[in-house]
């Protein structure tokens, strides 16, 4: 997929790829807009400094081009 308003892969970024994936990762949502929401992705909850936090280390949901429309709907 080429760069567009729906997909951008910043392959020059020192952190790219930020997750293991067979597909090119979409960098539009580098900082996941669903972090403070109920994300349909593969996140986990863990204890850090005595409180529960969300960890998205294994989640590629916001980085897959096919999920763009779903993410935009969830943000409305």
């Amino acid at each position: 997929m080429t760069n567009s308003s729906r997909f951008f892969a910043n392959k020059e970024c020192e952190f790219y790829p930020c997750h293991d994936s067979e597909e090119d990762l979409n960098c539009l949502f580098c900082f996941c807009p669903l972090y403070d929401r109920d994300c349909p992705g593969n996140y986990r909850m863990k204890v850090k400094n005595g409180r529960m936090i969300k960890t998205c280390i294994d989640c590629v949901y916001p980085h897959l081009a096919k999920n763009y429309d779903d993410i935009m709907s969830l943000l409305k």
Side-chain angles (χ1 to χ4, degrees), residues 15-28:
F15 301 108
Y16 190 91
C18 54
H19 300 278
D20 291 331
S21 176
E22 298 295 319
E23 299 179 46
D24 282 341
L25 298 178
N26 189 354
C27 300
L28 285 178

Side-chain angles (χ1 to χ4, degrees), residues 2 5 8 11 15-16 19 21 23-24 28 30 33 35-36 39-40 47 50 53-54 60-61 63 70-71 73 75-76:
T2 58
S5 63
F8 176 74
K11 294 182 179 181
F15 301 108
Y16 190 91
H19 300 278
S21 176
E23 299 179 46
D24 282 341
L28 285 178
C30 176
Y35 181 80
D36 63 346
C39 174
V47 177
I53 63 164
K54 188 178 192 179
V60 296
Y61 184 84
H63 298 292
D70 290 339
I71 291 169
S73 292
L75 294 174
K76 289 183 180 177

